[in-house]
Every structure is written in structure tokens, then in C-alpha cells.
């Protein structure tokens, strides 16, 4: 059954792990998928596999989620390549297992929290243009609820991701 036929999804962190698995599932279910990540060779390899297995359904875009202008480019690419955006999966994330330093704090906030903010803000604007039902999913973590002494900044950002996504749902509702 092709439950996502006619839908276009942009997935961050799509070059490995949860993001890659989501991209494969979405393609299998009939969606067009923009694979976003920092690793161009991994992204293009996944793009090739999906296009070979499911037809012309995937395109890779190199995205640094902490860069607002790069987000704008990713959304313009999505519209140019597939015509619209219906689904945004905010999945990109990083963590550091060590004492939190000002540098690791900033890098984690920029990727995990600011990147999700940019995705939500610009994703809502892009989705509003479709006139179709749309969805935003943001990957959080149980660590955002219970905490972990070894992942101070990661836990803080994942709690924020959950709150920001709830706020976006209320705004769009």
C-alpha cells in the first residue's frame, strides 16, 4: 500500500540511522524524498539506492541545519525538484559525551535546537503554499525528559525540541 503517494518529504539527518530508515520507508510508501545531511557521498549513495528501487523518488541536498540561508536553499531545491513540501522530518542531531564546554554547548544548541527552529519556521511557510494536509515531525529523546549527566547540552536541546514542536502544532492548529 502506498500511503504516502503524492507526498513530498524533506528529512534532515537522512544519511544514517533514524533519518536513513525514515527515508527508505517513505520511498517505499510512495513519497518523494529530499535527503538532507552533511555527508554528500553517503547522501548520494542513498539517493541512488532509493531511485533504483522505487523510481525517481529521491534527491540529496547538502544541508547544515544550523544555517538559515542553507535551509532556504533546501526548501527552494525541494520545491524545484518535486513541486512542494508536505512532510518535514527534523531528525538531524549531535551529542557529545564529555564535560560540556562552551564550544560543545553552542554546537549542540545550533544543530539540535536552532536547526529545528529554522526547519519549523521555514517548513510551515513552505507547507502553507500547498493547500494540502501537511506534517512536521521532530526527533527528540527520552533524555529530554529524564536527563543524563553525561549529555547535559543534548538533554537540554531535546527537551526544547519537544516543546518547540508542540508550540508549532498549536500555532498551526
Amino acid at each position: 500500500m502506498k500511503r504516502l503517494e503524492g507526498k513530498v518529504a524533506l528529512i534532515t539527518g537522512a544519511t544514517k540511522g533514524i533519518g536513513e530508515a525514515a527515508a527508505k520507508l517513505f520511498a517505499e510508501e510512495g513519497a518523494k524524498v529530499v535527503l538532507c545531511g552533511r555527508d554528500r557521498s553517503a547522501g548520494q549513495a542513498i539517493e541512488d539506492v532509493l531511485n533504483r528501487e522505487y523510481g525517481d523518488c529521491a534527491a540529496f541536498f547538502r544541508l547544515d541545519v544550523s544555517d538559515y540561508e542553507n535551509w532556504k536553499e533546501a526548501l527552494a531545491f525541494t520545491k524545484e525538484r518535486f513541486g512542494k513540501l508536505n512532510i518535514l522530518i527534523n531528525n538531524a542531531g549531535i551529542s557529545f559525551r564529555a564535560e560540556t564546554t562552551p564550544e560543545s554547548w553552542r554546537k549542540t544548541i545550533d544543530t539540535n535546537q536552532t536547526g529545528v527552529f529554522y526547519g519549523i519556521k521555514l517548513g510551515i511557510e513552505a507547507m502553507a503554499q500547498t493547500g494540502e494536509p501537511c506534517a512536521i515531525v521532530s526527533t527528540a529523546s527520552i533524555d529530554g525528559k529524564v536527563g543524563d549527566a553525561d549529555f547535559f547540552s543534548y538533554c537540554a536541546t531535546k527537551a526544547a525540541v519537544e516543546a518547540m514542536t508542540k508550540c508549532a502544532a498549536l500555532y498551526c492548529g
Side-chain angles (χ1 to χ4, degrees):
M1 184 170 152
K2 302 283 187 181
R3 294 179 291 181
L4 297 175
E5 191 84 45
K7 301 295 183 187
V8 176
L10 184 151
I11 303 173
T12 68
T15 58
K16 60 184 175 182
I18 293 169
E20 180 181 358
K24 289 177 179 176
L25 179 61
F26 278 44
E28 184 179 303
E29 290 293 336
K32 304 290 186 187
V33 182
V34 177
L35 309 157
C36 292
R38 294 176 295 178
D39 186 340
R40 184 177 305 281
S41 62
Q44 289 175 332
I46 296 164
E47 174 186 346
D48 291 343
V49 167
L50 294 181
N51 285 335
R52 189 170 47 255
E53 290 184 25
Y54 304 106
D56 185 28
C57 69
F60 174 75
F61 186 88
R62 190 174 188 293
L63 174 62
D64 173 353
V65 297
S66 69
D67 182 332
Y68 190 73
E69 294 303 315
N70 199 199
W71 262 107
K72 288 180 179 178
E73 294 164 356
L75 291 162
F77 173 83
T78 302
K79 188 170 183 180
E80 178 182 307
R81 180 73 166 81
F82 295 120
K84 62 183 177 178
L85 177 66
N86 301 102
I87 303 165
L88 170 63
I89 308 293
N90 281 311
N91 177 67
I94 60 170
S95 64
F96 297 95
R97 179 182 285 282
E99 179 181 342
T100 302
T101 64
E103 180 181 86
S104 68
W105 171 263
R106 175 59 32 217
K107 188 170 177 99
T108 306
I109 294 290
D110 287 349
T111 300
N112 296 4
Q113 187 173 345
T114 303
V116 169
F117 165 68
Y118 292 161
I120 288 172
K121 177 177 178 29
L122 295 171
I124 288 170
E125 292 172 10
M127 290 177 190
Q129 298 171 11
T130 70
E132 301 173 15
C134 295
I136 296 175
V137 176
S138 301
T139 304
S141 169
I142 190 65
D143 286 340
K145 290 192 177 296
V146 300
D148 184 315
D150 293 331
F151 294 103
F152 184 81
S153 58
Y154 176 80
C155 296
T157 62
K158 292 305 179 174
V161 164
E162 189 172 322
M164 291 187 312
T165 304
K166 287 177 183 177
C167 291
L170 291 169
Y171 172 79
C172 291

